[in-house]
Amino acid sequence: MISVKDLHKTFDGQEVLKGISTEIDKGEKVAIIGPSGSGKSTFLRCLNLLEEPTSGEIWFEDQLITDPKTDINKVREHMGMVFQSFNLFANKTVMENITLAPVKLGLMNKDEAREKAMSLLQLVDLVGKADVYPASLSGGQKQRIAILRSLAMNPKVMLFDEPTSALDPEMVGEVLEVIKVLAEDGMTMVIVTHEMGFAREVATRVMFIDEGIIMEEDTPDRIFTSPRSKRLQDFLSKVL
Amino acid sequence: MDNISTKFYNAFIYKDRWILYFKGLGVTMEIALLAGVIGIVIGCIVALMKLSEPKKGRKHTIPWYIATVYVDIIRGTPSVLQLLIMWFIVFSSSNNGVLVASLSFGINSGAYVSEIIRAGILAVDKGQTEAGRSLGLTRGQTMWEIVLPQAFKNVLPPIGNEFITLIKETAIVGYVSLSDLTRTASQISSRTYEAFMPLIGAAVIYFIIIKILTLLLGALERRLRRSDIR
């Protein structure tokens, strides 16, 4: 579904990604782990071109999205993204947050979008919050709504950029729960995370990124029980 | 005592002169309001020009350069001079003085407003734009639906200040012989050979108008802030 070929990214002369190649198939749940500053978030943000790669190719369903001629907005409609800092639209109610994009992009009319939003809100038990502004929500509620906002577009893949890193510990569970349900539903996803337990439980593949390359990737079992590279062993000994 | 009341009488009552002050105030406000609207329109356009995204490998866009030159020229020259140039050179054949003055002040104010709006837009969290774009919304849709409404709240207080400055700045239209409040007061003082009453009178009128505006702005600001938490 997503195919990445020799991806490089340089920020102000500093090379953050030094050649990443990988394939992500439909239905896969890829967890990306690695030390901070390793380039894992940059890699994720390159997948929907929020970060423009310096060189390399990214294919999404046989479409070369790094080609400047590709309409990236159209591609993004199919790739949901959830951010560490939620980024709910502060000037819109929860309902408007969820319905804005599907309506503006002409995928649904207002009524359809509202209906869809309501059924999504039911899923996470937040129907009562439909008409409030994000400022009055807790972090966990914000992130669950942010996930719904992406889901309202019926994406083919979901990208999660450290979705629980900005949450108070007691709220991590409720967000991971939603992601888990999504995973069980068969959603293709790529998750940058520091939640090793979650990665191990939900992921079908774990990718260890360090110093701008994929150091190691394998099934969660093998990554966590028999890491091969020294860097991964060091990293795991620090976080587990 | 008798002297003061005579001065007051000469400055405001005699020949219904108080009407002249209000006519002058009318001209002042007409120019300020018109210039304010022109300034905001120009300011918005110029701010967006300054924030236009350059193509890969380029530092700035052509609109950026145009906007920058405009702001530099306006900020780098006295507003009196801009008014004189508009009046005697650009629109020398026009006989609608108020309109020419408004345009001149509007173009002047636009430069300052554009910087206010640009700062207001930049103050909106980058994550808001990223979230919008990640959903497939275009740059324009994201700007219009998400960024600008939030920037509006940021820029309201400084825009209000800019308008207040504008009201006072229009006092220089006396240079091109438009009878605004300041020029009216000065003309009356030259007729009565007495400066105190007309000048202080005009100052009090400016003060009251601006005080009212300040209070209204404060109320509006508080109201906008309230909607932050609902």
Side-chain angles (χ1 to χ4, degrees):
Chain A
M1 178 177 259
I2 301 175
S3 166
V4 180
K5 289 175 189 159
D6 198 27
L7 183 67
H8 288 257
K9 174 69 185 176
T10 306
F11 285 112
D12 299 323
Q14 204 197 348
E15 197 170 34
V16 181
L17 299 181
K18 300 172 185 167
I20 289 193
S21 301
T22 191
E23 302 273 339
I24 296 164
D25 293 329
K26 193 167 186 310
E28 262 198 297
K29 295 106 186 54
V30 179
I32 303 176
I33 61 171
S36 59
S38 59
K40 54 193 193 306
S41 276
T42 305
F43 169 62
L44 189 77
R45 290 162 57 83
C46 279
L47 293 182
N48 67 352
L49 257 53
L50 272 191
E51 235 40 278
E52 206 167 321
T54 309
S55 67
E57 290 182 355
I58 301 171
W59 295 78
F60 177 67
E61 295 196 314
D62 302 324
Q63 207 178 0
L64 179 60
I65 67 173
T66 41
D67 182 347
K69 281 187 288 256
T70 305
D71 181 0
I72 189 61
N73 297 321
K74 274 273 167 254
V75 176
R76 284 175 179 152
E77 289 181 10
H78 305 293
M79 305 173 105
M81 185 162 210
V82 174
F83 301 85
Q84 181 176 350
S85 49
F86 328 131
N87 297 343
L88 287 182
F89 305 135
N91 60 320
K92 306 265 180 206
T93 63
V94 166
M95 177 56 80
E96 290 165 345
N97 261 278
I98 300 173
T99 57
L100 178 72
V103 173
K104 279 286 152 203
L105 297 171
L107 305 181
M108 301 174 198
N109 66 35
K110 261 199 169 126
D111 291 336
E112 288 166 349
R114 284 189 71 89
E115 211 169 294
K116 170 99 186 170
M118 272 307 183
S119 68
L120 285 168
L121 284 167
Q122 244 150 27
L123 217 69
V124 297
D125 237 357
L126 287 173
V127 174
K129 298 289 185 190
D131 295 316
V132 306
Y133 284 84
S136 68
L137 299 172
S138 74
Q141 291 171 333
K142 282 183 194 167
Q143 195 61 303
R144 284 185 284 158
I145 306 269
I147 295 172
L148 301 189
R149 177 175 63 180
S150 290
L151 288 180
M153 295 291 293
N154 295 320
K156 293 175 179 163
V157 54
M158 287 283 285
L159 311 174
F160 293 89
D161 189 5
E162 303 193 26
T164 59
S165 297
L167 293 172
D168 289 335
E170 78 267 24
M171 292 170 182
V172 170
E174 64 189 52
V175 171
L176 291 184
E177 198 51 48
V178 176
I179 302 176
K180 212 182 292 178
V181 170
L182 259 180
E184 283 160 7
D185 255 18
M187 177 67 77
T188 310
M189 27 200 223
V190 186
I191 312 176
V192 173
T193 186
H194 292 292
E195 299 286 333
M196 296 302 152
F198 178 76
R200 190 166 188 170
E201 186 185 348
V202 174
T204 54
R205 172 161 48 126
V206 177
M207 194 182 277
F208 174 62
I209 293 187
D210 193 17
E211 295 183 328
I213 57 164
I214 301 175
M215 281 270 177
E216 202 167 328
E217 62 179 324
D218 215 325
T219 61
D221 249 6
R222 264 181 276 179
I223 286 281
F224 288 109
T225 54
S226 50
R228 280 165 287 147
S229 65
K230 180 85 179 61
R231 305 279 313 196
L232 179 54
Q233 289 163 9
D234 282 350
F235 175 71
L236 289 176
S237 73
K238 274 181 215 146
V239 297
L240 287 179
Chain B
M1 209 47 209
D2 194 43
N3 195 13
I4 287 180
S5 58
T6 312
K7 280 180 180 170
F8 185 86
Y9 178 83
N10 282 338
F12 299 110
I13 315 289
Y14 180 63
K15 283 187 176 170
D16 279 341
R17 277 183 178 148
W18 59 275
I19 292 174
L20 295 177
Y21 292 90
F22 281 97
K23 274 192 180 153
L25 178 64
V27 172
T28 294
M29 292 311 290
E30 199 181 337
I31 294 172
L33 281 172
L34 210 57
V37 171
I38 295 169
I40 286 172
V41 171
I42 293 179
C44 284
I45 295 168
V46 171
L48 291 175
M49 285 166 78
K50 273 216 158 183
L51 292 172
S52 55
E53 213 164 65
K55 281 211 185 83
K56 217 176 167 179
R58 291 233 179 152
K59 217 162 174 180
H60 300 297
T61 59
I62 290 164
W64 185 92
Y65 286 107
I66 296 170
T68 302
V69 167
Y70 158 71
V71 173
D72 279 355
I73 289 174
I74 295 297
R75 289 208 293 201
T77 54
S79 48
V80 182
L81 208 53
Q82 291 163 17
L83 177 66
L84 292 174
I85 288 170
M86 287 292 274
W87 187 272
F88 290 110
I89 301 173
V90 183
F91 291 106
S92 57
S93 56
S94 166
N95 48 19
N96 190 337
V98 169
L99 199 65
V100 173
S102 302
L103 203 57
S104 176
F105 286 113
I107 291 171
N108 177 278
S109 179
Y112 296 92
V113 171
S114 75
E115 289 297 286
I116 293 171
I117 292 176
R118 193 176 68 94
I121 289 173
L122 289 177
V124 175
D125 182 20
K126 214 174 131 234
Q128 298 281 310
T129 305
E130 288 187 347
R133 296 308 305 276
S134 78
L135 287 164
L137 296 172
T138 64
R139 207 176 132 75
Q141 286 170 326
T142 308
M143 192 53 116
W144 187 251
E145 291 286 337
I146 297 151
V147 178
L148 287 183
Q150 294 182 56
F152 177 71
K153 242 184 263 190
N154 297 339
V155 303
L156 192 72
I159 293 269
N161 285 336
E162 172 61 24
F163 183 62
I164 285 169
T165 306
L166 191 54
I167 293 176
K168 291 175 290 180
E169 194 146 285
T170 58
I172 61 175
V173 292
Y175 270 93
V176 294
S177 52
L178 283 177
S179 292
D180 73 321
L181 180 55
T182 300
R183 185 153 187 265
T184 301
S186 122
Q187 278 175 329
I188 290 174
S189 75
S190 68
R191 223 165 294 159
T192 58
Y193 302 109
E194 200 281 311
F196 183 84
M197 281 294 170
L199 296 187
I200 296 295
V204 167
I205 295 173
Y206 277 112
F207 178 82
I208 291 171
I209 295 287
I210 285 162
K211 188 72 201 171
I212 291 171
L213 267 175
T214 310
L215 292 173
L216 286 177
L217 264 171
L220 188 59
E221 236 179 277
R222 275 192 299 281
R223 211 165 134 185
L224 281 175
R225 258 207 304 273
R226 249 210 313 274
S227 72
D228 272 350
I229 292 178
R230 245 191 266 185

